[in-house]
Amino acid sequence: MSAPSIEAAPVLAEAPAPAPRKRRRMRIPASVIGGAVVVLVIGLAAALAPWIAPHNPLDVGSFDLLNAEMPPAFMAEGDSRFWLGTDNQGRDLFSAMLYGARVSIAIGGGAVLVAATVGVILGLLAGYLGGWVDALIMRVGDVILSLPTILLALLVSGVARAVFPEAGTAQWAPVILIGAIAIHEWVQYARTVRAATMVESSKDYVRAARVMGLPSIRIMARHILPNVLSPVIVIATINLAAAVLTEATLSFLGVGMPPTYPSLGTLIRIGNEFVFSGIWWIATFPAALLVVLVLGVNIVGDWLRDWFNPKRQAR
Amino acid sequence: MLAALASRLAQALLVMLAVTAIAFVMFRYVGDPVAMMSREDASPAEKAELRKTLGLDRPVLVQYGEFVGRVATGDLGVSFRNQRPVADLLGERLPATLELVIVATILSLSIGVPIGVLCALNPEGKAARLVQTVSLIGISMPTFVTGIALILVFAVILRWLPSFGRGDVVLVGGWTTGFLTKSGWASLVLPSITLALYQLTLIMRLVRAEMIDVLSSDYIRFARARGLPARYINFHLALRNALMPVVTVTGLQIGSLIAFAIVTETVFQWPGMGLLFIQAVSFADVPVMAAYLLFVGFLFVVINMAVDLIYTIIDPRLRTRRA
């Protein structure tokens, strides 16, 4: 697999020259390591939430209204049982945040996975088959990209609610959210993979495979796919940040995860109602966690993009 | 030029038809209009009668044609929730959203362009690095978090500015404006900053990247070699060319800005179209959703064409091609 792509390099005269090897050994900046560490720590804490969280924020029966709106433990009236205080129902905020980050990351990651899978398949089909398949997929993509992510996601979840009343429940909301986010994001993958597939298709190894009479599906999956995947990884990283933000925004607007099974966005929505009464912690801590998580992913994504594509380094 | 304009118009018309088709499908098939509009104890005969009056028994294409006809004359149906014509609802909310978006765009351009230029002129300087870092934080900060932070600081702690609503508005020829009263301006401060920050980072990064590109081009080097003053080179020769993509992006971003206004309007309880739309989404008020979609689609098409026209005005090369 690797031999043909090296031989084929000269054919790429018009395309930007492949990255010189030495660039690949550039030093990883401290900020990137910091970002990666932050993402890993939050990711791990979220994954292990059921084991490390001091309380169970999903067990409504365990909440005590007497504990409601308790300030964080480091403040004068704080309670040492609730490190970051409690929300309006007496739910431990720290535990709710761990579970919330878990939900946010799972939905963001799920949306990226769905979008990448759909986008790669459609991109391969469009790039390899060309003709009307290509035209259809790309025109649909153009129309979708002309609508802002948030608007499209709101429309999808609004329609889902109208058709299907269960759409707002903890069980179905994640599915709707993943669909609502992925319906916009797949286009980017499809465009990138399509372009890369068109370059690869004209190379000798693909022609050889075609002459041998291999079926198109096999050529696409076994021969072209591995050679067009690296930009997908970069887009996926940057999209993960965007997907987590979109999920948070939808939940904040009240069309995402319900308060009984909150994501970070839902927690911020709950907290937003109390900001005026001076109860600042319910909104502030989840918001800070969200920003730090997204910032970490963005830093790593930015660096990955530069690493894979030295041409854009100047920006 | 005329041919280009005609093909742009044709394209725009196609996009609008596609959007009306989506809106029609939502309108017609999401939820049952008859069930929504008839009494709960209506007999099947009554329902059939209503179906007939609404024209729902005719072929789909005919219905679609009528839908397009009604939309073209401004009849967008009746809101399920408010029982009022959707066109009136949108009309009431339009000024609030437009004033917010306009002020936010002016803010982000007047701050973003100069900062971007400064960063490009001295890309390795401390200030430029600081701006780059801050902008990365900026794009990682969701609009609603910015809004809540501003409310917390300026409305709750400092008590300088109002945090919700539009303040006092004045009715000028059917247009409610907040531009004429003190409380109107005060109410506009926090929401417009929140909305502008989202776009500001983008404009700043774009101006910087474009300026760096342009500054390294041959004609700038030639201008330097001729000994032209740096001011003239930077602002007259370079900035003009660097601004081209900024016009496009700013124009195209107005669509996203209106979408983000949904978030800003929710945070600040700003009585605009975004708030109307988000309420429609939570109540599954399909006519309002469909109308909002139509409106955004229409706006998008108009802005696209405006951007094309502005292009020919600021880029002399396109003008000569026309001649």
Side-chain angles (χ1 to χ4, degrees), chain B residues 283-305:
Chain B
F283 288 94
D285 192 345
V286 177
V288 176
M289 279 159 62
Y292 184 80
L293 177 71
L294 277 174
F295 173 77
V296 172
F298 177 70
L299 206 64
F300 195 85
V301 167
V302 170
I303 289 168
N304 253 323
M305 295 192 50

Side-chain angles (χ1 to χ4, degrees), chain A residues 146 148 151 154-155 158-159 161-162 245 248-249 252-253 255 268 272 275-276 287 290-291 294-295 298-299 302 315, chain B residues 30 136-137 139-140 142 144-145 148 152 156 163 213 255-256 259 262-263 266-267 277-278 281 284 289 292-293 296 300:
Chain A
S146 71
L151 183 60
L154 281 170
L155 278 175
V159 169
R161 269 154 199 269
L245 278 188
T249 307
F252 175 78
L253 292 175
V255 294
I268 301 170
N272 187 36
V275 164
F276 291 103
L290 177 70
V291 173
V294 172
L295 183 62
N298 267 336
I299 290 175
D302 260 18
R315 305 187 175 187
Chain B
V30 175
L136 196 62
I137 299 176
I139 58 166
S140 306
F144 60 93
V145 169
I148 295 174
L152 193 61
V156 177
S163 63
D213 263 12
S256 316
I262 299 175
V263 181
T266 309
V267 175
F277 176 68
I278 195 72
V281 169
M289 279 159 62
Y292 184 80
L293 177 71
V296 172
F300 195 85

Side-chain angles (χ1 to χ4, degrees), chain B residues 240-255:
Chain B
R240 264 197 177 189
N241 283 291
L243 280 185
M244 293 286 298
V246 177
V247 172
T248 325
V249 171
T250 312
L252 298 185
Q253 279 294 312
I254 288 186

Side-chain angles (χ1 to χ4, degrees), chain B residues 8 12 26 28 45 49 65 71 80 94 123 128 188 205 238 252 265 323:
Chain B
R8 288 288 311 151
M26 282 174 61
R28 175 68 185 79
E49 183 62 36
V71 166
F80 289 160
L94 180 69
L188 198 56
R205 289 187 146 208
L252 298 185
E265 287 176 8

Side-chain angles (χ1 to χ4, degrees), chain A residues 275-276 278-280 284, chain B residues 147-158:
Chain A
V275 164
F276 291 103
I279 301 171
W280 51 271
T284 312
Chain B
I148 295 174
L150 288 177
I151 288 182
L152 193 61
V153 174
F154 292 101
V156 177
I157 299 177
L158 297 173

Side-chain angles (χ1 to χ4, degrees), chain B residues 63-108:
Chain B
Q63 288 187 40
Y64 174 62
E66 283 185 352
F67 179 76
V68 174
R70 269 185 283 139
V71 166
T73 54
D75 177 6
L76 297 169
V78 176
S79 158
F80 289 160
R81 196 162 78 92
N82 300 4
Q83 294 299 328
R84 291 183 49 201
V86 176
D88 292 1
L89 285 173
L90 280 183
E92 278 168 21
R93 303 296 192 100
L94 180 69
T97 297
L98 277 190
E99 286 186 357
L100 178 63
V101 168
I102 289 169
V103 172
T105 305
I106 293 173
L107 261 182
S108 57

Side-chain angles (χ1 to χ4, degrees), chain A residues 107-120 122 141 144-145 149-150 152-154 156 174-190 239 242-244 246-247 250:
Chain A
I107 293 177
V112 167
L113 262 182
V114 171
T117 313
V118 173
V120 167
L122 291 180
I144 286 181
L145 275 198
T149 322
I150 285 286
L152 195 62
L154 281 170
V156 170
V175 180
I176 308 281
L177 280 170
I178 288 176
I181 300 169
I183 199 173
H184 193 269
E185 304 297 324
W186 66 266
V187 184
Q188 270 180 291
Y189 299 92
N239 262 354
V244 169
T246 309
E247 187 281 327
L250 290 176

